[in-house]
């Protein structure tokens, strides 16, 4: 049997449609159609997801001469035969305890997540840093151009992040299972990273607390323009350090949390940030007005862009479901 024939059989046995499989794998229905009709092969990550979903091995999916019983069939046989029961349990220990994540999938998730951290941190940093070009007393056309180019680049990076195709959603939404060696190595590396992130957060806090004194020094010896430039650079640095470290620590915590406890499922979980967006924006605007740490308009613009992107994503998802 070919991969497509096996997929058709698995879909039929589990009373699923191609659309159902596409939604579970977070891919388009057209992609599943190509797989089923043997016009394409899923990537490695999707093959692992399919094998976990239907309880079959990747060897069974890829090798035409490989025959394998599904986990449900093995379990039904094991109830009738006490001898085979022990073997079935041994084989299915990992998959029954959660969504199995291989070393390759874990590495892919970490690489993908770090790329998102870079996009968000870079976008916010450029957005704040653009104010440097507006601090010069003789605000020339060149400075205005640099200001808008830098700000626009930051906004584009943030929007680009939100419009990317979401990957590795199972790691965020499923109860995870690892090989002991893989999980042990991850925890060891996590502890090393946590120390590095702690140093980044401490450095960010120190820069934040010392920024006023640094600005005063530059004000006395170099003038108001240099003071403003250093102030915006300092704000960019401390905020970037804290955002980078905080998001990176959250990425690691997702793995540990979902390994120890099954996550609570919620269809609108990924949009729950909207409920906190307004009060956070108000607070950010007030901080900008009182401390002059950033432009009071910046949080409003960021909120508007995020809401616009979220609305577009909801419309796109709604259209895909209707199709």
């Amino acid at each position: 049997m070919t991969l497509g024939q096996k997929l058709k059989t698995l879909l039929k046995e589990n009373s699923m449609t191609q659309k159902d499989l596409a939604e579970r794998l977070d891919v388009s229905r057209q992609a599943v159609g190509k797989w089923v009709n043997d016009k394409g092969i899923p990537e490695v990550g999707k093959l692992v997801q399919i094998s976990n979903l239907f309880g079959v091995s990747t060897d069974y999916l890829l090798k035409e001469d490989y025959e394998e019983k599904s986990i449900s069939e093995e379990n039904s046989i094991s109830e009738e035969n006490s001898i085979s029961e022990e073997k079935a349990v041994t084989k299915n220990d990992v998959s029954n305890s959660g969504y199995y994540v291989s070393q390759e999938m874990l590495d892919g998730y970490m690489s993908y997540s770090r790329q998102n951290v870079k996009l968000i941190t870079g976008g916010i940093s450029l957005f704040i840093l653009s104010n440097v070009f507006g601090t010069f007393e003789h605000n020339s056309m060149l400075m205005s151009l640099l200001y808008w180019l830098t700000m626009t680049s930051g906004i584009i990076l943030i929007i680009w992040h939100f419009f990317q195709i979401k990957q590795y959603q199972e790691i965020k939404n499923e109860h995870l299972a690892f090989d002991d060696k893989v999980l042990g190595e991850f925890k060891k590396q996590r502890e090393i990273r946590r120390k590095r992130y702690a140093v980044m957060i401490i450095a960010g806090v120190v820069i934040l607390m010392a920024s006023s004194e640094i600005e005063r020094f530059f004000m006395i010896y170099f003038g108001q323009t240099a003071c403003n430039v250093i102030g915006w650079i300092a704000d960019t640095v401390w905020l970037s350090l804290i955002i980078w470290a905080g998001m990176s620590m959250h990425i690691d915590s997702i793995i540990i949390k979902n390994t120890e406890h099954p996550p609570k499922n919620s269809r609108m979980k990924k949009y729950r940030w909207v409920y906190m967006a307004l009060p956070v924006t108000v607070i950010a605007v007030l901080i900008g007005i009182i401390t002059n740490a950033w432009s009071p308009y910046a949080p409003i613009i960021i909120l508007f862009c995020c809401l616009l992107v979220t609305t577009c994503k909801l419309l796109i998802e709604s259209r895909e479901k209707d199709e």
Side-chain angles (χ1 to χ4, degrees), residues 30-307:
Q30 290 77 8
V32 175
K34 289 181 179 180
W35 304 340
V36 170
N37 293 309
D38 291 315
K39 294 181 180 180
I41 299 177
E43 61 183 17
V44 175
K46 298 303 178 185
L47 280 171
V48 174
Q49 294 178 38
I50 293 171
S51 68
N52 278 287
L53 179 61
F54 293 117
V56 296
S57 68
T58 52
D59 284 340
Y60 168 73
L61 293 172
L62 293 175
K63 297 180 180 179
E64 294 188 8
D65 58 345
Y66 189 95
E67 295 296 331
E68 179 183 84
K69 292 183 178 180
S70 66
I71 288 177
S72 60
E73 291 176 344
E74 288 182 357
N75 288 338
S76 63
I77 294 174
S78 66
E79 292 175 358
E80 300 174 358
N81 192 329
S82 58
I83 297 176
S84 61
E85 180 179 358
E86 184 177 350
K87 295 180 180 179
V89 171
T90 301
K91 179 179 179 180
N92 298 319
D93 269 344
V94 173
S95 59
N96 285 338
S97 61
Y99 181 87
Y100 176 71
V101 180
S102 63
Q103 181 66 61
E104 292 75 14
M105 180 176 286
L106 179 60
D107 292 340
Y109 166 74
M110 296 301 295
S111 176
Y112 168 78
S113 300
R114 287 167 185 157
Q115 185 65 30
N116 287 335
V117 171
K118 291 178 183 179
L119 286 175
I120 295 176
T121 307
I124 294 175
S125 299
L126 288 174
F127 189 88
I128 298 174
L129 194 62
S130 63
N131 290 280
V132 168
F133 302 108
T135 58
F136 294 93
E137 295 177 358
H138 303 289
N139 199 351
S140 64
M141 183 177 294
L142 176 61
M143 290 299 161
S144 297
L145 179 62
L146 291 174
Y147 169 81
W148 286 109
L149 281 176
T150 309
M151 177 179 285
T152 304
S153 299
I155 294 174
I156 289 174
L157 284 179
I158 296 173
I159 293 177
W160 177 258
H161 160 72
F162 282 104
F163 268 112
Q164 283 190 112
I165 297 175
K166 299 302 178 183
Q167 301 180 30
Y168 303 102
Q169 294 301 297
E170 294 79 10
I171 292 181
K172 298 179 180 179
N173 302 325
E174 301 287 344
H175 187 206
L176 305 179
F178 292 88
D179 292 332
D180 291 339
K181 183 178 179 180
V182 174
L183 184 59
E185 182 63 25
F186 173 79
K187 288 182 176 179
K188 186 187 299 183
Q189 293 299 321
R190 183 197 180 206
E191 289 303 316
I192 297 174
R193 289 193 294 267
R194 284 180 66 179
K195 295 178 182 178
R196 183 167 67 246
Y197 299 146
V199 171
M200 292 173 64
I201 292 175
I202 292 172
V205 172
V206 170
I207 294 173
L208 171 62
M209 297 178 65
S211 60
S212 59
E213 294 300 323
I214 297 174
E215 290 178 33
R216 185 179 302 174
F217 173 83
F218 276 84
M219 177 69 179
I220 295 172
Y221 292 98
F222 300 100
Q224 183 64 47
T225 301
C227 170
N228 292 336
V229 170
I230 291 299
W232 283 113
I233 292 176
D235 290 337
T236 302
V237 172
W238 71 257
L239 189 59
S240 299
L241 287 172
I242 292 177
I243 290 175
W244 187 294
M247 291 185 66
S248 299
M249 292 176 70
H250 177 66
I251 290 168
D252 286 348
S253 68
I254 288 176
I255 298 292
I256 301 299
K257 181 179 178 181
N258 289 357
T259 302
E260 296 175 349
H261 308 286
K264 296 179 180 179
N265 294 322
S266 175
R267 294 182 63 184
M268 296 302 292
K269 183 179 179 181
K270 56 184 176 180
Y271 299 118
R272 64 184 179 183
W273 66 269
V274 176
Y275 296 102
M276 294 296 296
L278 185 58
V280 169
T281 302
V282 172
I283 294 173
V285 170
L286 291 176
I287 292 175
I289 294 173
I290 296 172
T291 66
N292 198 32
W294 48 69
S295 171
Y297 300 106
I300 299 175
I301 296 174
I302 293 175
L303 174 64
F304 175 77
C305 292
C306 292
L307 290 175

